[in-house]
Every structure is written in structure tokens, then in C-alpha cells.
Amino acid sequence: MKYDVAIIGGGLAGLALAIDLQKRGRSVTVIEKGDYPRHKVCGEYISMESYNYVMSLCPALTSYKLPLISNFKLTSGTTKEFTTMLDLGGFGVSRYLLEDMLYKEAEKQGVVFMLNTKAQDVVNSETEYTVKTNKGNITASLICNATGRKSNLKIVKPNTSEVNYVGVKYHVKLNRKPDTIEIHNFPGGYCGISNVEDDRACLCYIVNSKNLNSVNNSIPELQKAYLYKNKNLEQIFTTAEFLFSEPVTVSGINFLIKEPVTDQSFYLGDSAGSMAPIVGNGMSMGLRSAWVLAANIDKYFAGTITKQQLTDNYTRFWKKEFSSRIKLSRYLQKLSEYPFLTRRTIDLFNVFPALAKGVIKQTHGKPF
């Protein structure tokens, strides 16, 4: 069978695009190397800009009491801290629940899944594309790549001079304000904590891989040697009830800006360019990409725009919407590795709170 669209990668962006296109009457298959449900390293905060879209894709999510997040707190390794209300705010939901619910909705809508299947290559002809996988070939009129930061199908080779980071995530039970997202800086990185469903909190940190190497790649030693230098984190780690027997981890994280379209694929989510987690809005970036790309693909199949117009529209949107956000996130990511810079930033934000509001606003888009 030939599909209208083959989506490589069934993470948040890929699932959203699949449901959106299927609801528009397009035939869709998703090629996913893993299975559902699953935990992923993720801050698990989504800006309210995406709330209506998420709920329209998967109405079953409305039955969950997802925490609404309206306050932000930033700390350094000292007693310095900055707090503010978030103009737009967000909500918390675990990737485990969100992806599983979206996957079930996609199946319900008729999306065809090839799970535990690895895409190996994409070959294009004048009229169609062929995705070669370890379980056979798939043909489609269009290919979309939602494989995330790390993929064996990358067209643009990563810049090896980029700094690599390690991400670590836990779910914990902790007495804390569920309406607040916190960022706690430590030497080499930062740790975020915010609530998700079932009165749990997502505790997720990112650190320069050099710091992990310095403690013989031991995560417990990393936490004691670096994270505990922030007393807020020491208190969290020594008083929280940890719900995972082992943390979820990912390595080789970088924040490259790539092209959103190639001759072979339309890229969305992290595969098109990764937002540094310090700005806390990577999931909304993936969702907005899916929303815009689905609408343009639908117009292409309806014959109202050409393939070139589809390419131009999506490229223009992506660069206008996300290029500056990613550049800002890379700057804030680098700044966050040095506690003395974080302390100076906190001082500045406390004197000029409007400046902080402006920075936060630049990391969020308008509701869609």
C-alpha cells in the first residue's frame, strides 16, 4: 500500500502530525523504532499555547486532572532566587501518559503503525518516496522526519565542536507547590522540577558531559559532587520519594539549528532543531510544527498549493517561529552552566523584573 504520508519517528511531534493528518482524511503510517508506553528524558512542561491543540487531538486527556503551572522560580547555589508569575503559563503531563494516549488515539483514527521498526534510508523518485526499514519497504507521497535529536537519517552532520550534554530524569513524590516550575542552577548545568499527573513531580536535569566524566560516569556521585552545591537541590534529593528504581537517561544532547526541509523529508520537532530545556518549551515547538505542517500538507493534497509552495511555507514558518528561540535557548544554556552568571542574572531580574518577563515571553508563542 502507498500512503499519503509516512512519518519516521513516533514521539510527540510525530504522533500529533499523524493524528492531525488522519483526521483530515489523509492516509498515514508511522515508523517507530520503539514501542509504547515508555518514559523519556523530558521536562514534561507544556506551554498553554499548545493546550487547545493537544486536547483537540486527544479529547480523552481532558479526563485527567493535569496541574496548571502559573509561577516560575530560579535559584543559584546560594540563597539568591528570583520568582515571577508566568503570563501564559503551562501544564504538566508525563511523556509516558501523553505519548500513550496519543498513540491510542492515532490507532483509533486509523493511523497504521510499524513499531519496533528502524528506518534505514529514504529513496526518492519523481512521484514517490520509499523508506527502507529492517522490516521491509514503505512507499509514500511525502516523508516527514520526527526522529528527534539523534537519528541515523540525519542529512546535516552534527558539528562535533558542539558541547554535548547528559539528561537525567526521575519522577518523585514531594511536598511542593504544584503551580510552580522551578529551575535550580548548579556548576555545569541546571535541574528543573514541576508537577505532572497523579500528584507526582518530574525532576529532570541536564549537565555538561565533562562533569559526568569527572566522577567516573557515576550519576549518584555526579549529584553529590555538583547538584548538591545548590542547597535547594540537596534538600529535594534527600527528602523526595523516588518512584523510579533507576533514572531515565540520555547522552549526546546538543542544540543544533538544522534545515526544516530537505529533498527527502519535512522535519519537525527536535529533528529540525533542538530547543535547550532551560526555556522549558520544546514540546510546544514540536506541537506547533505539527499543526502548521499538517495544514499545509492538507492544502498540497487538496491541490490548492504546489509542492514548492508547501516547502516554502513550512520553511518560512519554521525559521520565523523557532530560529530566534533556539539561538536564545543556546545562549541561556551556556550561561546556566556557570553559577556566578546565574547569580548575576537573578540580581538583574530582581531589579528589572520586566526584563525577565521579556525573556520568558520570547520562549513562548501565541495560543493556537
Side-chain angles (χ1 to χ4, degrees):
M1 175 180 176
K2 178 181 176 181
Y3 296 91
D4 290 330
V5 181
I7 302 171
I8 305 172
L12 179 60
L15 288 169
L17 180 63
I19 295 171
D20 199 331
L21 287 171
Q22 194 75 36
K23 283 185 173 182
R24 295 172 188 269
R26 308 305 169 190
S27 60
V28 182
T29 185
V30 174
I31 302 165
E32 167 54 43
K33 66 180 179 181
D35 203 345
Y36 305 98
R38 60 198 177 183
H39 287 288
K40 291 177 118 177
V41 173
C42 178
E44 300 182 335
Y45 163 93
I46 304 180
S47 165
M48 286 302 291
E49 68 188 87
S50 305
Y51 184 84
N52 290 336
Y53 184 60
V54 171
M55 296 306 164
S56 70
L57 292 176
C58 189
L61 274 169
T62 58
S63 63
Y64 287 83
K65 291 185 66 175
L66 302 178
L68 299 180
I69 299 167
S70 56
N71 293 288
F72 170 73
K73 180 179 180 179
L74 173 67
T75 79
S76 67
T78 65
T79 57
K80 291 182 181 293
E81 65 177 50
F82 170 76
T83 60
T84 187
M85 288 188 64
L86 296 169
D87 290 337
L88 190 60
F91 62 101
V93 58
S94 69
R95 285 293 288 268
Y96 186 93
L97 173 65
L98 181 57
E99 284 192 0
D100 192 42
M101 296 289 285
L102 289 173
Y103 163 63
K104 290 173 180 174
E105 179 65 27
E107 277 204 315
K108 178 181 172 182
Q109 293 295 331
V111 174
V112 176
F113 282 85
M114 295 183 65
L115 300 179
N116 300 304
T117 303
K118 190 170 183 179
Q120 297 170 326
D121 195 11
V122 177
V123 179
N124 58 311
S125 66
E126 291 184 4
T127 58
E128 65 184 22
Y129 296 85
T130 300
V131 183
K132 297 182 178 180
T133 81
N134 60 323
K135 294 185 179 180
N137 296 341
I138 297 293
T139 59
S141 298
L142 293 177
I143 304 296
C144 296
N145 187 314
T147 50
R149 295 184 181 97
K150 301 168 73 174
S151 170
N152 63 318
L153 291 173
K154 286 286 185 283
I155 302 300
V156 180
K157 293 183 179 180
N159 183 346
T160 54
S161 66
E162 288 284 331
V163 175
N164 286 322
Y165 298 90
V166 176
V168 180
K169 186 186 85 171
Y170 302 91
H171 277 178
V172 301
K173 288 276 190 178
L174 185 68
N175 184 21
R176 64 180 306 276
K177 294 180 180 179
D179 67 349
T180 301
I181 182 169
E182 303 171 32
I183 299 290
H184 301 291
N185 170 251
F186 60 86
Y190 54 90
C191 180
I193 182 167
S194 58
N195 277 34
V196 293
E197 71 277 0
D198 299 330
D199 295 319
R200 291 177 288 152
C202 171
L203 181 65
C204 189
Y205 65 87
I206 187 167
V207 61
N208 193 310
S209 59
K210 292 180 180 179
N211 294 55
L212 183 59
N213 294 337
S214 72
V215 290
N216 297 315
N217 296 316
S218 167
I219 288 177
E221 290 303 315
L222 172 75
Q223 290 162 181
K224 290 177 181 177
Y226 292 100
L227 277 71
Y228 283 21
K229 290 186 182 299
N230 186 315
K231 295 304 177 185
N232 297 280
L233 288 176
E234 183 178 19
Q235 182 178 17
I236 290 170
F237 273 85
T238 55
T239 60
E241 175 190 354
F242 284 76
L243 304 179
F244 295 164
S245 57
E246 295 289 337
V248 183
T249 62
V250 64
S251 60
I253 301 172
N254 53 51
F255 310 109
L256 303 173
I257 299 175
K258 312 175 185 104
E259 290 298 320
V261 184
T262 68
D263 290 340
Q264 293 180 327
S265 305
F266 292 85
Y267 290 77
L268 66 161
D270 284 342
S271 67
S274 300
M275 190 91 72
I278 186 93
V279 302
N281 213 16
M283 288 198 284
S284 279
M285 176 177 160
L287 290 164
R288 188 179 287 272
S289 296
W291 176 64
V292 170
L293 185 54
N296 277 277
I297 287 175
D298 191 46
K299 290 178 182 178
Y300 166 69
F301 282 118
T304 58
I305 62 173
T306 65
K307 177 75 173 294
Q308 188 59 53
Q309 288 173 318
L310 166 61
T311 297
D312 292 344
N313 289 350
Y314 184 63
T315 301
R316 213 168 21 245
F317 148 77
W318 200 97
K319 292 188 174 181
K320 179 181 177 181
E321 189 72 29
F322 299 130
S323 288
S324 60
R325 283 204 220 182
I326 292 178
K327 288 174 183 176
L328 175 62
S329 77
R330 294 174 77 187
Y331 171 76
L332 294 175
Q333 171 70 36
K334 200 63 186 173
L335 180 148
S336 71
E337 293 183 47
Y338 303 98
F340 76 93
L341 291 178
T342 302
R343 291 194 290 272
R344 297 297 173 267
T345 301
I346 290 173
D347 288 338
L348 192 62
F349 283 173
N350 279 320
V351 174
F352 302 103
L355 177 62
K357 291 275 190 181
V359 172
I360 293 170
K361 187 176 182 179
Q362 288 184 57
T363 67
H364 291 64
K366 294 180 180 180
F368 59 97

